Each structure stands twice: as C-alpha cells, then as structure tokens.
Amino acid sequence: MTTTPENVRALFADLHHTDAGRLLAADRRREGEDLPTIPLPELGVELTRAEAACALFESLADELRDPDTDTLTAALTGAVRTLGTEHIREQLPVFHDLGLEEFFEVTQCWQWAHRLTLSYWYAGARSRTMTAGEVAVCLYLSDLQQCRQAEFRRQPQRALVLARAVHQGADRVPADTLVCLGEGFAAELGGIARDRGTVPKAYRSTMPDYHRRRLCFSLAHADSADQPVPLIVRHNEDDGGGYALGLTAPRQPGRTHFRTLRARW
C-alpha cells in the first residue's frame, strides 16, 4: 500500500509544518563553515567537533554508558575545565592520527562529539538525528515500492532510492506527528519492552499494511544506518515548543551498523 500526499494531508489537516525560515535564522553555523561549534556557556567557550572529540578522549569520557546530551555536555565541560583549551588544541594532531577503525574509544568520542554538534545546531532548540522508527515512517509514507528486503538489497543505487524516499515521506507528515508515529514503530517492532502497549492510536490507521511496516522498519534500522537524514528539531518551550524538520546534516564519523531505536536528546 502506498499512502499519497492527499491522504496524509486529510489525516492531519489540523497540523502544520514549522516555518523553514525560523530554522534558517536559528542556524548557528558561521559563514563558510559546514558544522556549528559546540557551546559551553559555563566556561564561555565553543569547541569544534574535533576539539570536543579530543577533549572527551583525553578525559576518558569513553567510559560513560549511553549518556544523554546533558550528561555528554557536562562531561565535555568538565574535561575542558580540567585540561584547558590550549592543551586540547595541542593534542589535536596526535588525536587525529589515531585510527577510527582501529580504536573503539576514538570512534566513540568522535560519535559523541558529533551528537553534541547536531544537538546544538540551532539556537533556541535541541536537535538530533532521526530514530529508526522515524525513518521507517518516512519510508512508509513515500512512494517506495513494496518488495522483499533481499530483493531491495540487489537494486542498483539503493542508497539513493532510500534517500529520496526518506525526504519524500518526511514532506508528507508534520514533524510532531512523525515523532509520534516513530514511537509506534519502536513499540511494535523495535523490541523496546517499556514502550510495548503504548502504540499511538494513529499508528495503524495511518500505516495499516503490516508487511510494508516490517519492510520499512528493517530498511530504516539497518540498510540506511550510514545514510544522512533530516534532523529532528525540538524548540525550547520559551520559543513556542514543538518539533520541526531541520537540514540534512553530515553522517557521523566511523561505521555504524544500526540506526538508533531511542530518541537521544
């Protein structure tokens, strides 16, 4: 089953997309830079992604276990307070020489620094990459043809096909609804025990084809793990709250085998 844009607009007629101009104005990147810096207000400094990764590595932050953004920010702040920005920048050439594929700790610190970079991309908001469930929603609502996963893997340019499908589906549903429906995928197919039984009411009525749901979730969870997708942006309550779709940020450094199931704010 393919859900058309008209069907989706009818289902969610009372919802709307956040004005893209609002996010454009909030983009923290400086002119000519591909990535924003990571702000540390307590210290009055901002770090590049590489500096943040180096600081986390130097402070043994890789020993943390699945931290959220606030925990990572606190760890980075503590590292900079202890080491100092000059020491971190002196150690950067050495850190750059450590292989991503050779040392798990190095890869972990790069990926956490990347998470912080994404999180603070917009002023007055937090942002993150899409979960597997949210990507699956986009794929389901796109014009992606139904097939077996093994058949899809044999298709030429399948990465490009997935990228187009993700963006097409994302344009067909408001961001708030996308996040809600993504939680349904995590509850039904993601194996997250605490979420089972909490499938949103609109989940099956919007995406009734179980076989298509399984295909889209499988593709979202594994096959496109390295594929960049639009950011999910959560505006601060003081700025009106709510979700929006941000730009498509670069993929994180190092190899990832599966897209995350949980929203990591």
Side-chain angles (χ1 to χ4, degrees), residues 127-145:
S127 50
R128 58 167 174 79
T129 190
M130 284 186 181
T131 65
E134 290 158 355
V135 173
V137 173
C138 295
L139 294 178
Y140 190 105
L141 297 178
S142 75
D143 294 335
L144 184 70
Q145 294 298 310

Side-chain angles (χ1 to χ4, degrees), residues 244-264:
L245 279 182
L247 53 74
T248 300
R251 64 176 296 275
Q252 67 178 4
R255 173 71 180 172
T256 53
H257 297 287
F258 297 100
R259 192 178 299 281
T260 181
L261 294 171
R262 301 178 186 274
R264 291 173 174 167

Side-chain angles (χ1 to χ4, degrees), residues 36-167:
T37 54
I38 301 167
L40 299 178
E42 290 184 28
L43 305 180
V45 300
E46 297 187 2
L47 300 183
T48 65
R49 183 178 67 176
E51 290 168 348
C54 181
L56 290 170
F57 181 77
E58 288 284 311
S59 63
L60 303 179
D62 56 275
E63 297 178 358
L64 294 171
R65 293 292 181 267
D66 196 26
D68 59 20
T69 298
D70 289 336
T71 301
L72 275 179
T73 303
L76 181 58
T77 300
V80 175
R81 183 180 283 117
T82 301
L83 300 171
T85 54
E86 288 187 12
H87 173 79
I88 293 167
R89 287 162 184 160
E90 288 173 359
Q91 293 301 310
L92 262 181
V94 178
F95 180 70
H96 274 298
D97 287 340
L98 298 176
L100 273 170
E101 301 301 327
E102 186 175 356
F103 300 102
F104 167 78
E105 297 83 358
V106 174
T107 301
Q108 184 67 89
C109 289
W110 270 109
Q111 292 181 350
W112 279 344
H114 186 74
R115 273 181 54 192
L116 290 173
T117 301
L118 299 188
S119 184
Y120 296 109
W121 199 287
Y122 297 103
R126 283 282 182 91
S127 50
R128 58 167 174 79
T129 190
M130 284 186 181
T131 65
E134 290 158 355
V135 173
V137 173
C138 295
L139 294 178
Y140 190 105
L141 297 178
S142 75
D143 294 335
L144 184 70
Q145 294 298 310
Q146 183 71 18
C147 63
R148 294 183 182 275
Q149 188 174 4
E151 294 174 358
F152 183 83
R153 286 176 174 172
R154 292 194 294 268
Q155 291 185 18
Q157 298 184 316
R158 62 181 182 274
L160 179 59
V161 172
L162 278 178
R164 287 175 175 171
V166 169
H167 286 80

Side-chain angles (χ1 to χ4, degrees), residues 8 11-17 133-134 137-138 141 169-170 172-185 200 202-203 205-207 232 242-245:
V8 174
L11 284 168
F12 306 114
D14 58 330
L15 299 172
H16 60 276
H17 289 277
E134 290 158 355
V137 173
C138 295
L141 297 178
R172 293 179 173 179
V173 63
D176 296 71
T177 308
L178 173 59
V179 171
C180 179
L181 295 178
E183 292 172 354
F185 266 110
Y203 176 69
S205 62
T206 306
M207 300 177 292
I232 297 291
Y243 295 97
L245 279 182

